[in-house]
Amino acid sequence: MTATREAPAGPRPRGRGPGTAVRGRLQQLLAFGSLIVCSAFFSVASPFFFTYGNFTAILFSTVVIGTLAIGTTFVIIAGGIDLSTGTGMALCAVMSGVFLVDLGLPLVLGVPAAILFGGLIGLVNGCNVAVLGIPPFIATLAMMLVAEGLALVLSDSAPIYFTEVEGYVDISTGNLVAGVNFPNAVLILLAVALLAGFLLNKTVLGRYTYSIGSNEEATALSGIDVRKWKIAIYAFAGLFIGLAGVMISARLGSAQPATGLGYELQAIAAVVIGGTSLSGGRGSIVGTLIGALIISVLNNGLQIMSIPQEWQNVILGCVILVAVYTDILRKKRS
């Protein structure tokens, strides 16, 4: 008997029926169509966009945004929000430096420790939300500031370089298959996306994530310990914060304490663009990956066209507004 069959029957989650499944597929197709349109536009606008080197750069960018967005998907489907993912990622990158450079731990211990530290960040967020009853926006906003401050304190406001840590950079930039120039970071993203998709669709964790986001009160009345599962969901999402911290520091070869700001908004934008409802109960990992690719293509294409950073922020903000408004329209129709 699988774990899913052992779970007590909760209320039927919104977004799990046949009708909403079809709408979910249509939303993913719409997001994929938007990705194709964006890519075609930048390919015509600049001869440097449609090249293998630039394609690799887009994938590298997608690894960080996508990893954060996968964890954020669980939190948003459960009806929450996490604003601490960006600075939490920077703190985990710094902790990776502390474990591997300052304390001299071997790679096999230092990397898991940094990822678990991200889980600890999520665990604290979950306890603040589920036990203390602090609204997710406030709890994770406070954690965002705490993580930003701790990253600067622990690093003395200076980068920590991994030049003496053999094999660390290869985690992100190395090639698993000899002779094939395909970075490990992308393979890791695909692996964790498959794992997250399985957990979201085939396990008790995923079932309760949808159920809590659809109707928290009905879920509790059906005998499910909502507080425990909320903590578990935030802690699980925190592991992706830790993994993103390892991936970005391995790619840069250093832990930059101030690199995280802004990533939380891009991760949330990727989740919403991919069809996950901000009101909870609906979403998918596939849609989130497509949303992360759209964000990366936009960032990359606008930089290639030498659009000033200020206008890039304006355009990204408008994209987020359109995605949220589309989500509101979907909610009204349903």
Side-chain angles (χ1 to χ4, degrees):
M1 179 178 290
T2 66
T4 302
R5 289 175 182 167
E6 292 172 350
R12 182 169 187 159
R14 186 171 73 244
R16 303 289 284 173
T20 49
V22 172
R23 285 198 293 271
R25 293 287 184 271
L26 290 176
Q27 289 160 12
Q28 290 174 12
L29 287 174
L30 180 63
F32 187 71
S34 301
L35 174 63
I36 297 298
V37 170
C38 287
S39 300
F41 171 78
F42 289 122
S43 297
V44 173
S46 171
F48 304 106
F49 182 82
F50 200 71
T51 61
Y52 183 77
N54 192 52
F55 176 69
T56 305
I58 291 174
L59 289 181
F60 263 128
S61 177
T62 305
V63 165
V64 177
I65 298 173
T67 303
L68 290 175
I70 289 172
T72 305
T73 301
F74 280 80
V75 173
I76 292 181
I77 290 176
I81 196 78
D82 192 349
L83 299 178
S84 65
T85 54
T87 55
M89 175 188 71
L91 176 57
C92 290
V94 168
M95 288 307 299
S96 187
V98 170
F99 291 136
L100 295 170
V101 178
D102 295 345
L103 300 181
L105 293 181
L107 206 62
V108 293
L109 292 180
V111 170
I115 295 174
L116 288 175
F117 193 85
L120 178 62
I121 293 174
L123 180 66
V124 174
N125 281 334
C127 289
N128 287 335
V129 172
V131 179
L132 301 181
I134 301 174
F137 182 89
I138 302 300
T140 56
L141 178 64
M143 179 57 75
M144 180 179 80
L145 297 175
V146 170
E148 181 185 12
L150 282 178
L152 292 170
V153 169
L154 293 173
S155 64
D156 289 330
S157 302
I160 301 176
Y161 293 96
F162 295 93
T163 50
E164 302 298 325
V165 183
E166 186 177 356
Y168 187 73
V169 175
D170 292 336
I171 293 174
S172 187
T173 60
N175 299 310
L176 186 64
V177 181
V180 179
N181 186 19
F182 199 75
N184 290 340
V186 179
L187 297 177
I188 293 174
L189 173 63
L190 293 176
V192 296
L194 286 173
L195 174 64
F198 173 79
L199 293 174
L200 189 59
N201 292 297
K202 301 295 183 182
T203 68
V204 176
L205 174 67
R207 179 178 176 181
Y208 289 172
T209 299
Y210 280 111
S211 182
I212 292 171
S214 298
N215 192 328
E216 183 175 334
E217 185 177 358
T219 303
L221 290 174
S222 67
I224 297 170
D225 190 341
V226 171
R227 288 200 305 178
K228 182 185 77 175
W229 283 101
K230 271 190 175 182
I231 294 172
I233 290 165
Y234 274 95
F236 178 71
L239 295 176
F240 290 90
I241 297 175
L243 179 60
V246 170
M247 301 298 284
I248 193 171
S249 57
R251 181 191 172 191
L252 298 174
S254 63
Q256 305 284 340
T259 54
L261 283 174
Y263 273 100
E264 62 281 339
L265 295 181
Q266 295 192 44
I268 293 171
V271 174
V272 177
I273 290 171
T276 297
S277 173
L278 277 175
S279 56
R282 185 181 300 133
S284 70
I285 299 300
V286 173
T288 292
L289 285 182
I290 295 174
L293 273 170
I294 290 175
I295 296 294
S296 298
V297 166
L298 277 175
N299 287 335
N300 180 276
L302 293 173
Q303 287 174 5
I304 285 181
M305 292 177 67
S306 301
I307 303 296
Q309 184 63 48
E310 298 82 359
W311 283 106
Q312 291 184 36
N313 293 339
V314 170
I315 293 171
L316 182 59
C318 291
V319 170
I320 294 174
L321 281 176
V322 170
V324 173
Y325 183 65
T326 304
D327 177 49
I328 292 173
L329 290 179
R330 285 200 303 259
K331 185 179 178 183
K332 287 181 178 177
R333 288 197 192 101
S334 63

